[in-house]
Amino acid sequence: ERSMIRKRQAEGIAVAKAAKDGRYKGRKQSIDRSVITNMLDAGSSVTAVARSLNISRQSVYRIKAEVEAA
């Protein structure tokens, strides 16, 4: 029974991926920390960096703090 469920699930995921309408996106791509630090060092604001990379401001602040702590 469990194998049948997994098979149907895999078929549904394949159909959703083929549709490409945003129903199945998978995991977000990792954020390139060097791009963020370069933009901040160039004088861009946190908000501008977040908008240009389509991430949250909190993510930018978190990465900024990680880089400064290292």
Side-chain angles (χ1 to χ4, degrees):
E1 179 67 28
R2 186 69 190 147
S3 64
M4 290 173 43
I5 292 170
R6 296 286 294 157
K7 182 180 176 186
R8 286 194 306 266
Q9 180 184 16
E11 290 171 357
I13 290 171
V15 169
K17 282 183 179 180
K20 295 189 186 239
D21 60 0
R23 285 185 287 169
Y24 191 87
K25 295 178 183 179
R27 189 180 183 106
K28 285 189 172 184
Q29 298 297 321
S30 63
I31 302 168
D32 189 3
R33 285 160 166 63
S34 63
V35 172
I36 292 173
T37 55
N38 290 341
M39 291 176 77
L40 291 172
D41 290 342
S44 296
S45 68
V46 172
T47 303
V49 172
R51 284 185 181 155
S52 66
L53 298 176
N54 200 23
I55 59 175
S56 69
R57 287 183 303 145
Q58 183 59 40
S59 294
V60 176
Y61 282 118
R62 179 177 40 81
I63 292 168
K64 181 180 176 185
E66 289 172 1
V67 170
E68 290 174 353

